[in-house]
Amino acid sequence: MAYAKAASRLKGSLIHQLLVIALSLASYQNVVALHVPHEPTQTSSTSEQASPPKSGIFEPIEISPAVIPHYPSPEKSLPPMYPSLPKAYDPVLTGRCPVNFSVISSITEKTASDCTRSLSTVVGNVICCPQFNSLLHIFQGFYSNRSDTLVLQSAVADDCFRDIISILASKGANSSISGLCSVKSSNLTGGSCPVKDIGTFEKIVNTSKLLESCSTVDSLKECCRPVCQPAISEAALQISGIKMTLGDKNIIGVPSEIDTLNDCKGVVYSWIARKLQFEDASSTFRLLSSCKVNKVCPLEFQQPLEVIKACRNLAAPSPSCCISLNAYIAGIQKQMLITNRQAIICAAAFGFMLQKAGVMTNIYELCDVDLKDFSLQGYGQEGGCLLRSYPADLVYDNITGFSFTCDLNDNIAAPWPSSSTITSLSLCAPEMSLPALPTSETLANYSCPRGGLDLLVPILLFFVSILF
């Protein structure tokens, strides 16, 4: 899409261009249950795919300090996020994958819960697919511990991949998860990457630097000032051989080289996975996925012809404009759950679409459009649920069914895009100073349905354009 373009260039040695925008947010936590049965009767279609995000950045947005909430005591710990769902049946395995799957059962349990068949299509982009990819990286690294290679041979990869899907489906996951997340068994083989054995990898790559960069990832800094991501990209470039064979040639945009680099990144992930504990590797991979996922808006916007017609050249509140806008947004709400960062990007993206069509008035303000209006609406709630920007998981219990930890579940106004601040403000800079924030007096207006105010750690809102 035209509003999400970013270019990265690589000449000779590795050069990383980072385009950074950040917004410091404090978060209000609430739990919203969706009214869905635990035992669904229909498997989700693979036609609704959560495609991996592409590099990109939006035009700047202008957000009033009045929309930034502030709450005390952000240090309060988070609730448990990893429930174990009961098995639906015993999986039928091929018997040709030489792996003891019970060793990684904690990761498969999380993945099955995050990709439950009843909700996988609405959480695929931000929960299911990141966790499924994390499982595959961990499995690949676990498999490599029994050999001298970081990948699987094609035939073994097919069998193991089939077994993984069967195990997840037996625990209640969507059996079409591979189609939903656009993942194939070939992802376990290293593809066109020329280096696949451990010995050669460790001779070429500065493994000490790689492990130091990725063994402990700072959740508050990695997406804005990445340490692990460039280390992975550098290692992938080194084992790909592209830097040495192409010299000063610009490789960005050359499909074969990009595929090779992506395949080599999979090999790097496998090496990291074999060096870390399962839970540590899962946390690292999920956080890296969040950095990518939160850079773009995953929603699809159809041409808003009725909104444009009703809201163009508008100078005062118009019932017909707001009716058209609300009807359009009601359709968007049915697509999926999104994060708070994605909601800001989606609001800006839709605003740019309207501005390009001649709607220059801030109709978000005129029609009281909030950020949560761009996400799926929670059952029994007055508004939508915005997922937290950090990695999140589905929670299941016998009373509430599946539920989510929601951020910003209050009336935060959707920002109307502006181009007046990008050149004068670097929101990732540590020396930046934000305008005065609202006081905590407004807390008295919030209700706490679970019997107390659960607070999340303040979230840095940012999105970064990186090389891959």
Side-chain angles (χ1 to χ4, degrees), residues 316-338:
S318 168
S320 62
C321 172
C322 293
I323 290 174
S324 297
L325 178 61
N326 291 335
Y328 183 89
I329 292 180
I332 294 176
Q333 292 172 347
K334 299 176 182 179
Q335 293 187 27
M336 66 183 74
L337 283 163
I338 62 176

Side-chain angles (χ1 to χ4, degrees), residues 84-105:
S84 295
L85 298 180
K87 287 186 178 180
Y89 55 86
D90 291 329
V92 178
L93 305 182
T94 63
R96 296 186 294 272
C97 181
V99 169
N100 182 2
F101 283 100
S102 64
V103 179
I104 59 172
S105 60

Side-chain angles (χ1 to χ4, degrees), residues 5 90 95 104 206 265 295 325 331 445:
K5 292 184 178 178
D90 291 329
I104 59 172
N206 184 342
K265 285 188 72 175
K295 289 194 301 179
L325 178 61
N445 296 326

